[in-house]
């Protein structure tokens, strides 16, 4: 439902797994796999990736390479795709390892590359891979046959004088359902430990050439007005999963706080969607989905909190008190905590549990798993029309917020936190469904909602600061001076607590403005 | 699609020359290119009509009365603005463009006109909010003249960098007369002159 690419543009459907080279070698024998395997064929592949000195193609989310395979040269332009299975891909034979722009037909893919001045395209990095592949045919149990190419890649990526080993497995769908890729990947992870790999070889090459890993925000959801509840579920889960996975590499890298942040936002949007659409999901599946996403999001929480502390909670206090020696001490303690929180992120993503969940969720999505065991209520909600569903979901969440926030000016902090959390969910719901309604009203509502979220968000600053300072106190870094840190912590908490007091009139005004804003959906449904 | 508006209320500063050269460059690069003429003199449209069959096609569009639409699949749209723009027309053209190329001749007379035009542009919202890039192009420059140095200095003071300098050459009027651009020519001389365009084309591509 949500694929935004033109349907006639070519694309590949492929999944990557990385693992220990020795373990991958063992898998090559493939005796353990069900289905009929073709012969194992081995090729040497040499690929050179081209770009402008300022990596313009990379910024356009493109990878442009020429690959030597035996005596042939194949030029390929790929786009970034959805971060899961699908990428746009255009191939043409060329005469040598040099790129040939005239082999790219207009409009696509030529327009993607744009104008290149002579000499502007140069090699950025190269890969040398030994690829052993075989074709696996297997029945899906419903009389359809899936055909998958399994390729074992072993080699290196080289940029200038740096290089990195490559040991990965690529499963490419030649024929059949994308679900078959996830099923096969799950089967393989039962045999040896493997990690779902979100990065292409080109992403690794650019990282090696010094580019920071990419992060991105959510892609706005486009829902078809003819969609059903089941279509909506699929579209939203796909959108959120792609948002989460597209930021995983940047989260692992950790040099850009947006990585963990956006990965977490992707997961939070997903968790909100699961709760908003709970009625359309069979109960057992719902608790599985909620449990696993809560675990992953929870693993990212501390890293995000320390990023926020270091980037926005501590600096205003430190700037106002330049002579206070407790604040630099607090900063270095917080940096140590942040580093260990990022180790925790890396460890969680490296677990078999994480990869298993990504693959199972992918299989659930591609195989429309929600249809299994959808009895009575779930089936009814899956069959509803998108507008009916959206009216219901938005109306219910809106009423919930109004009820929780009743008599807002007199509401205690604890209760305001509940309002804040319900608002966040309402915001995601509004973003999912706004395209179905008149623009102007949706925009006005969105603005009021965002304004309120912004001012109520300061409550959370205080809560985060207090929680982190407790954590710090419980795990004092070696050599730290507890009294000094305690003073710094108290100063930061007090600063933000006071900030909340100052903002009180604005917060109440923002609440009133929001409560008076007319909903943009059809009411009374 | 990326739309590039070539404009300056100063007459004769090279708008049509730059617009047609840019269109020629993009067409030659294999991109579907349109050239919209918003000037009633129709010099850009006449250039597209003169274009030899064997060159890469540029689709001419008549935008004198109104801002129109580019054909489907157009990758680069170049708009040639008239010197005397009506305020409504200026606003409409700026709104539809993704970036603006502003030719300037090295003379005190031109500087004053350019400053007025830049001031006017600043009143249009997307420019004021820095959402649209303005690329200044020094045109008809003779290297190492005092005028050239003055222009550089003046433009930096205005808060704008000159993206490129185009030399003064008879090749511009020669190619224009034949419906060609530098990018359609063979030979060393044209190749050397094309170097003047590298920075501007890269600037435009980086905005795409
Ligand atoms: N770099 C250059 N070298 C030599 N001649 C040039 C150069 N640029 C422009 N010219 C010449 O200057 C004259 C005016 O240029 P052009 O028609 O491009 O300006 P314009 O800004 O479009 O004018 P108008 O305001 O009348 O539309 C033309 O004869 C053109 O050939
Ligand atoms: Mg003109």
């Amino acid at each position: 439902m949500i694929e935004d690419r033109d349907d006639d543009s070519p694309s590949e459907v492929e999944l990557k797994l990385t693992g220990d080279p020795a373990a991958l070698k063992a898998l090559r024998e493939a005796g353990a796999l069900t289905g009929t395997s073709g012969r194992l064929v081995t090729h040497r592949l040499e690929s050179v990736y081209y770009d402008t000195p300022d990596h313009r193609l990379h910024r356009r989310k493109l990878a442009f390479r020429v690959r030597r395979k035996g005596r042939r040269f194949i030029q390929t332009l790929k786009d970034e795709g959805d971060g899961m299975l699908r990428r746009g891909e255009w191939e043409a034979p060329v005469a040598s390892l040099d790129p040939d722009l005239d082999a790219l037909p207009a409009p696509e893919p030529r327009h993607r590359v744009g104008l290149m001045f002579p000499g502007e395209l140069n090699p950025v990095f190269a890969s040398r891979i030994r690829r052993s592949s075989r074709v696996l045919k297997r029945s899906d149990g419903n009389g359809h046959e899936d055909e998958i190419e399994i390729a074992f890649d072993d080699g290196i990526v080289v940029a200038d004088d740096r290089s990195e080993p490559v040991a990965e497995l690529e499963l490419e769908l030649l024929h059949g359902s994308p679900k078959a890729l996830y099923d096969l990947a799950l089967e393989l992870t039962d045999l040896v430990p493997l990690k779902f790999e979100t990065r292409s070889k080109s992403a690794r090459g650019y990282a090696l050439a010094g580019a920071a890993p990419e992060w991105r925000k959510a892609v706005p959801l486009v829902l078809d007005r003819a969609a059903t509840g089941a279509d909506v579920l699929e579209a939203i889960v796909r959108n959120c999963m792609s948002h989460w996975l597209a930021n995983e590499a940047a989260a692992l890298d950790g040099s850009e706080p947006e990585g963990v942040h956006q990965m977490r936002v992707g997961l939070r949007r997903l968790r909100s969607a699961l709760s908003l659409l709970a009625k359309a999901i069979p109960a057992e599946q719902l608790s599985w989905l909620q449990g696993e996403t809560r675990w992953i999001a929870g693993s990212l929480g501390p890293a995000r909190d320390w990023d926020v502390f270091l980037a926005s909670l501590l600096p205003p206090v430190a700037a106002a008190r330049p002579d206070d020696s407790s604040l630099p001490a607090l900063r270095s303690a917080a940096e140590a905590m942040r580093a260990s929180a990022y180790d925790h992120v890396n460890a969680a993503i490296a677990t078999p549990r994480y990869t298993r969940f990504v693959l199972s969720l992918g299989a659930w999505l591609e195989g429309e798993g929600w249809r299994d065991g959808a009895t009575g209520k779930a089936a009814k909600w899956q069959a509803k029309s998108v507008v009916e569903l959206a009216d219901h979901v938005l109306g219910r969440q809106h009423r919930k917020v109004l009820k929780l926030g009743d008599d807002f000016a007199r509401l205690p902090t604890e209760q305001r936190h509940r309002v804040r959390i319900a608002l966040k969910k309402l915001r995601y719901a509004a973003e999912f469904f706004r395209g179905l309604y008149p623009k102007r009203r949706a925009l006005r509502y969105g603005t009021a909602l965002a304004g309120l979220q912004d001012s109520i968000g300061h409550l959370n600053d205080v809560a985060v600061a207090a929680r982190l300072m407790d954590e710090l106190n419980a795990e004092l870094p070696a050599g730290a001076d507890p009294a000094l840190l305690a003073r710094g912590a108290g100063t930061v908490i007090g600063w933000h607590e006071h900030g909340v007091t100052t903002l009180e009139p604005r917060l109440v005004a923002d609440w009133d403005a929001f409560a008076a804003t007319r909903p943009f959906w059809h009411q009374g449904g | 699609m990326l739309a590039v508006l070539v404009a300056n209320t100063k007459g004769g500063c090279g708008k049509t020359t730059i617009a047609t050269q840019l269109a020629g460059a993009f067409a030659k690069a294999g991109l579907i290119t349109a050239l919209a003429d918003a000037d009633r003199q129709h010099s850009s449209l006449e250039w597209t009509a003169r274009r030899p069959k064997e060159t890469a096609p540029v689709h001419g569009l008549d935008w004198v009365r109104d801002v129109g639409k580019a054909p489907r699949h157009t990758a680069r749209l170049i708009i040639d603005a008239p010197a005397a723009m009506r305020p409504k027309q200026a606003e409409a053209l700026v709104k539809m463009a993704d970036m603006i190329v502003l030719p300037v001749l090295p003379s005190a007379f031109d500087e004053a006109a350019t400053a007025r035009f830049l001031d006017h542009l600043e009143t249009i919202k997307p420019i004021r909010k820095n959402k649209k890039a303005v690329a200044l192009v020094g045109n008809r420059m003779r290297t190492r003249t005092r005028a050239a140095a003055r222009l550089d200095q003046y433009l930096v003071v205005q808060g704008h960098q000159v993206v490129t300098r185009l030399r003064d050459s008879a090749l511009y009027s020669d190619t224009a007369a034949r419906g060609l651009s530098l990018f359609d020519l063979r030979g060393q001389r044209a190749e050397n002159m094309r170097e003047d365009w590298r920075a501007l084309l890269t600037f435009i591509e980086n905005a795409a």
Side-chain angles (χ1 to χ4, degrees):
Chain A
M1 288 302 319
I2 55 127
E3 289 306 296
D4 46 1
R5 74 167 78 250
D6 285 345
D7 277 335
D8 52 358
S9 72
S11 70
E12 57 171 4
V13 179
E14 152 187 302
L15 182 157
K16 278 174 194 289
L17 298 161
T18 46
D20 176 56
L24 291 183
K25 206 165 260 173
L27 276 184
R28 221 182 278 182
E29 303 322 316
L33 297 175
T34 49
T36 13
S37 297
R39 206 163 51 84
L40 190 71
V41 196
T42 300
H43 286 286
R44 278 177 198 287
L45 305 174
E46 181 185 355
S47 307
V48 181
Y49 291 77
Y50 294 90
D51 207 336
T52 63
D54 54 0
H55 295 179
R56 190 190 306 143
L57 295 181
H58 185 50
R59 265 186 283 129
R60 287 187 187 165
K61 319 271 184 217
L62 296 171
F64 189 41
R65 68 156 193 236
V66 181
R67 171 172 282 178
R68 185 210 302 268
K69 185 175 178 182
R71 250 175 264 148
R72 293 185 307 139
F73 297 93
I74 301 150
Q75 173 176 278
T76 307
L77 182 74
K78 292 196 194 200
D79 67 18
E80 166 194 52
D82 63 3
M84 299 191 282
L85 296 181
R86 295 166 182 84
R87 297 183 79 190
E89 189 187 72
W90 296 269
E91 286 199 334
V94 288
S96 71
L97 262 183
D98 292 330
D100 177 4
L101 289 176
D102 290 333
L104 294 171
E108 295 252 55
R110 185 67 169 252
H111 284 183
R112 298 257 191 140
V113 171
L115 177 143
M116 285 291 162
F117 221 80
E120 215 184 340
L121 271 183
N122 286 297
V124 184
F125 55 93
S127 67
R128 284 193 287 277
I129 304 287
R130 207 171 80 106
R131 165 169 291 185
S132 309
S133 59
R134 65 166 85 242
V135 174
L136 184 71
K137 290 186 188 172
R138 44 176 22 191
S139 159
D140 70 352
N142 296 321
H144 301 287
E145 197 171 61
D146 295 311
E147 209 176 301
I148 298 169
E149 183 188 59
I150 313 183
F152 300 86
D153 285 352
D154 177 12
I156 52 168
V157 184
V158 192
D160 296 325
D161 53 352
R162 286 176 299 269
S163 72
E164 194 181 88
V166 172
E168 65 185 25
L169 219 154
E170 265 186 34
L171 310 180
E172 184 173 351
L173 190 67
L174 302 179
H175 180 77
S177 155
K179 178 173 185 289
L181 293 182
Y182 288 115
D183 288 341
L184 177 59
L186 280 164
E187 223 175 282
L188 292 164
T189 52
D190 283 340
L191 303 173
V192 298
L194 295 167
K195 153 95 183 71
F196 180 80
E197 177 60 66
T198 61
R199 291 190 309 166
S200 59
K201 289 192 187 69
S202 70
R204 289 209 220 171
Y206 277 107
L208 207 56
E214 297 283 302
W215 59 271
R216 71 160 170 83
K217 295 188 175 176
V219 175
L221 189 69
V222 183
L223 291 169
D224 185 339
R225 296 189 67 86
T228 62
D231 297 331
V232 170
L233 180 64
E234 177 186 347
I236 295 182
V237 172
R238 193 184 290 284
N239 179 286
C240 298
M241 187 184 181
S242 158
H243 184 195
W244 140 31
L245 290 173
N247 290 292
E248 188 201 279
L252 287 169
D253 176 79
S255 59
E256 168 56 72
E258 285 292 331
V260 156
H261 179 47
Q262 290 298 329
M263 178 169 170
R264 204 155 152 266
V265 175
L267 283 155
R268 209 163 53 204
R269 292 171 66 236
L270 178 55
R271 289 171 49 70
S272 292
L274 292 172
S275 137
L276 292 163
L277 301 174
K279 287 183 179 146
I281 307 170
E284 234 170 79
Q285 300 179 9
L286 183 64
S287 69
W288 162 67
L289 291 163
Q290 284 177 326
E292 294 304 277
T293 49
R294 184 188 312 121
W295 167 68
I296 302 170
S299 314
L300 303 178
R304 175 62 190 159
D305 289 346
W306 286 110
D307 275 336
V308 170
F309 182 82
L310 283 160
S312 46
L313 299 183
L314 181 59
V317 191
R321 298 176 58 79
D323 300 325
D324 186 338
S325 65
S326 72
L327 298 173
L330 186 57
R331 165 167 284 277
S332 38
E335 276 165 355
M337 294 296 279
R338 177 186 179 275
S340 80
Y342 269 87
D343 289 346
H344 186 65
V345 169
N346 275 266
I349 293 176
T351 56
R353 177 179 176 182
Y354 177 87
T355 284
R356 181 151 268 288
F357 180 61
V358 171
L359 296 174
S360 308
L361 181 58
W364 185 76
L365 194 58
E366 297 297 342
E368 306 188 353
W370 49 87
R371 297 200 190 280
D372 304 333
T375 50
K377 192 181 75 173
K380 192 184 96 193
W381 282 91
Q382 289 179 17
K384 275 202 196 298
S385 84
V386 60
V387 176
E388 200 184 349
L389 182 78
D391 283 345
H392 172 84
V393 166
L394 288 163
R396 198 187 46 183
Q397 192 64 20
H398 179 79
R399 286 191 301 273
K400 184 171 172 186
V401 168
L402 289 184
K403 193 165 158 216
L404 284 171
D406 190 32
D407 202 5
F408 191 85
R410 267 188 281 280
L411 225 48
T413 306
E414 253 336 281
Q415 187 68 18
R416 286 183 175 187
H417 272 293
R418 296 181 58 192
V419 174
R420 184 179 64 79
I421 290 159
L423 269 174
K424 202 172 266 185
K425 208 186 275 181
L426 178 59
R427 168 79 169 278
Y428 293 140
E431 281 172 6
F432 290 146
F433 296 120
R434 60 186 290 172
L436 299 167
Y437 300 96
K439 238 192 195 141
R440 199 186 282 258
R441 272 173 64 186
L443 192 67
R444 202 176 302 138
Y445 184 86
T447 311
L449 180 53
L452 175 58
Q453 267 195 307
D454 193 36
S455 37
I456 207 169
H458 291 282
L459 286 184
N460 198 39
D461 288 350
V462 179
V464 169
R467 190 172 65 238
L468 292 180
M469 294 306 92
D470 284 346
E471 245 173 69
L472 187 60
N473 202 34
E475 311 172 32
L476 275 184
D481 173 352
L484 193 63
L485 287 185
R487 197 182 82 206
T491 309
V492 173
I493 296 172
W495 175 283
H496 290 286
E497 187 69 61
H498 180 70
V500 168
T501 321
T502 328
L503 278 173
E504 177 66 14
R506 195 187 111 191
L507 175 55
V508 173
D510 283 341
W511 169 266
D512 291 343
F514 167 75
T517 305
R518 243 182 359 139
F520 59 85
W521 55 92
H522 318 107
Q523 285 167 281
Chain B
M1 183 186 77
L2 182 86
V4 181
L5 173 66
V6 186
N8 191 342
T9 39
K10 177 75 182 118
C13 60
K15 296 180 289 292
T16 301
T17 304
I18 290 174
T20 52
Q21 292 289 334
L22 285 176
F26 287 116
K28 175 70 182 174
L31 308 188
I32 298 179
T33 305
L35 176 57
D37 197 339
D39 189 346
R40 65 178 90 247
Q41 294 176 51
H42 274 172
S43 359
S44 273
L45 273 183
E46 282 161 15
W47 177 84
T48 54
R50 281 197 297 276
R51 219 161 145 66
K53 271 201 195 62
E54 62 277 13
T55 56
V58 172
H59 305 276
L61 306 172
D62 185 343
W63 281 19
V64 175
R65 277 166 175 280
D66 281 308
V67 170
K69 268 198 180 141
R72 222 163 93 83
H73 293 311
T74 300
R76 300 288 179 266
L77 168 68
I78 315 298
I79 309 161
D80 181 11
M85 268 193 289
R86 290 163 269 131
K88 273 258 161 62
Q89 188 186 26
E91 191 144 333
L93 290 175
V94 167
K95 285 233 163 90
M96 98 93 37
D98 297 296
M99 60 171 299
I100 296 159
V101 171
L102 206 155
V104 196
L105 296 178
S107 82
F109 201 57
D110 262 56
E111 285 168 17
T114 301
R116 275 197 304 279
F117 185 56
L118 279 169
D119 285 346
H120 173 67
L121 280 181
E122 296 294 335
T123 65
I124 301 175
K125 200 167 155 202
I127 304 254
R128 195 170 63 227
K129 291 193 152 179
N130 259 332
K131 288 206 173 131
K132 287 182 189 186
V134 178
L136 284 150
V137 173
N139 190 23
R140 311 193 69 163
M141 306 288 271
R142 294 186 188 91
T143 38
R144 274 180 246 111
T145 58
R146 218 170 331 137
R150 244 181 66 99
L151 182 65
D152 278 4
Q153 212 178 14
Y154 154 78
L155 290 167
V156 171
V157 170
Q158 288 285 305
H160 293 277
Q161 283 266 319
V162 181
V163 172
T164 197
R165 292 176 191 77
L166 304 175
R167 70 191 82 172
D168 188 272
S169 162
L171 206 52
Y172 286 116
S173 44
D174 292 353
T175 48
R178 292 153 60 203
L180 295 175
S181 75
L182 292 179
F183 299 85
D184 300 306
L185 303 182
R186 293 165 193 271
Q188 195 59 43
R189 178 156 171 246
E191 194 181 319
N192 287 343
M193 281 183 58
R194 284 198 290 268
E195 278 305 314
D196 290 357
W197 293 81
R198 180 187 288 272
L200 179 61
L201 287 166
T202 310
F203 186 90
I204 295 174
E205 283 301 295
N206 278 334

